[in-house]
Amino acid sequence: MRFSPFLALALVVGAAGAAGGWWAMHGRASEEQQAAAADAKLDGQLAEAGIDARKRGAIEALVRSYILEHPEILPEAMDKLQARETEARLAPLRGALETPFPGAILGNPQGKVTLVEFTDFSCTYCRSSVADVEALVKDNPDLRVVIRELPIIGPESEPAARMGLAAAAQGKYAAFHKAMFSGERPNSTSIAAAANAAGVDAASATAFTQQPSVKQELERNIGFARQLGINGTPAWSVGGKLLSGAVGREALQAAVNAARKG
């Protein structure tokens, strides 16, 4: 197959996408088949626009020259395409994603703007983001923050997440969340201390952590993460956009503002 600069970006980005989400590539045609199909489609589109093979060759030479002189556009294009693909995966999940486990909410439960946070009590970056979220809640009275427990870092992550959901069931999630991130890393002692500080009924909470609904919630969150390509915490969803990592207060506020306008 002849070289086509028109296809160069698509091929490079396609390879990058495969590295970041192998499950999405399962069952797809080979890269050569995809490229051939794309090239054939492009031939048809150019023909409809009155661009013959000679004109196409001249245009491709210009495009190739530009790409070689400005290779920085390749990672830029890759980032943009990956963002679009993520948004496409996020769209059908958004309703379920923004429906919280009962009580697992920070901020205004009736807020018109929803920020979803995937978090793990064992996550250092989640801990450093607590102040950012608190500031967002303070500055945005219309913001509801849906917390999705994603216990993936260590063996004590899941017991802490389960207790967090038990605290949510008792209407004590915000207090437990703050106490847990203010104390030591998760272990049996720190989890019990955070529950006590939040005013959680220990006996009732311990029984609740073994409820099927708790296991189902954690499995649901892991499923969301897989579908969205999330492999670390914190991760954020707001207004159809996905952000990864401890992006900081300004980036979160910008995303909230964009969601409000949208």
Side-chain angles (χ1 to χ4, degrees):
M1 183 181 67
R2 69 182 183 278
F3 173 81
S4 171
F6 288 121
L7 296 175
L9 296 179
L11 292 174
V12 174
V13 173
W22 60 266
W23 58 85
M25 296 296 293
H26 182 69
R28 291 185 182 178
S30 68
E31 287 186 12
E32 289 186 1
Q33 291 174 318
Q34 293 180 58
D39 198 41
K41 180 178 180 181
L42 180 59
D43 276 335
Q45 293 173 331
L46 292 175
E48 290 177 1
I51 299 176
D52 58 23
R54 181 180 61 81
K55 292 179 180 178
R56 176 178 176 175
I59 294 172
E60 288 187 345
L62 291 173
V63 174
R64 183 177 188 278
S65 177
Y66 185 86
I67 292 174
L68 292 175
E69 291 177 6
H70 302 278
E72 67 274 7
I73 70 171
L74 295 177
E76 291 175 9
M78 290 163 60
D79 290 343
K80 180 166 288 189
L81 183 57
Q82 287 176 337
R84 288 179 181 175
E85 290 179 342
T86 297
E87 289 175 23
R89 293 196 300 269
L90 180 57
L93 298 175
R94 187 172 172 185
L97 199 63
E98 295 182 356
T99 301
F101 184 87
I105 292 180
L106 304 177
N108 181 356
Q110 307 303 321
K112 296 182 179 180
V113 181
T114 299
L115 171 68
V116 179
E117 178 184 2
F118 286 85
T119 188
D120 184 325
F121 286 117
S122 297
C123 173
T124 301
Y125 296 106
C126 297
R127 183 181 292 259
S128 68
S129 297
V130 169
D132 295 329
V133 175
E134 289 179 345
L136 284 177
V137 167
K138 180 179 179 180
D139 295 342
N140 300 271
D142 62 342
L143 181 65
R144 67 196 288 261
V145 182
V146 172
I147 300 295
R148 309 222 73 97
E149 299 289 351
L150 189 64
I152 59 176
I153 292 180
E156 295 300 329
S157 295
E158 184 172 332
R162 285 176 175 269
M163 185 58 74
L165 297 179
Q170 295 184 23
K172 304 291 180 62
Y173 183 80
F176 178 81
H177 182 91
K178 184 172 184 177
M180 196 70 233
F181 277 122
S182 298
E184 298 179 1
R185 286 176 60 86
N187 56 56
S188 59
T189 301
S190 65
I191 293 171
N196 182 62
V200 173
D201 181 285
S204 177
T206 299
F208 188 87
T209 61
Q210 302 307 309
Q211 291 290 323
S213 61
V214 172
K215 179 180 179 181
Q216 291 167 4
E217 171 67 5
L218 299 181
E219 291 177 344
R220 184 182 301 116
N221 293 343
I222 290 173
F224 284 141
R226 286 175 176 164
Q227 292 177 75
L228 295 173
I230 295 171
N231 54 21
T233 54
W236 321 81
S237 169
V238 55
K241 303 288 185 180
L242 192 68
L243 297 85
S244 298
V247 296
R249 177 181 173 185
E250 291 185 3
L252 291 174
Q253 183 64 68
V256 168
N257 292 343
R260 185 180 291 117
K261 293 178 181 177

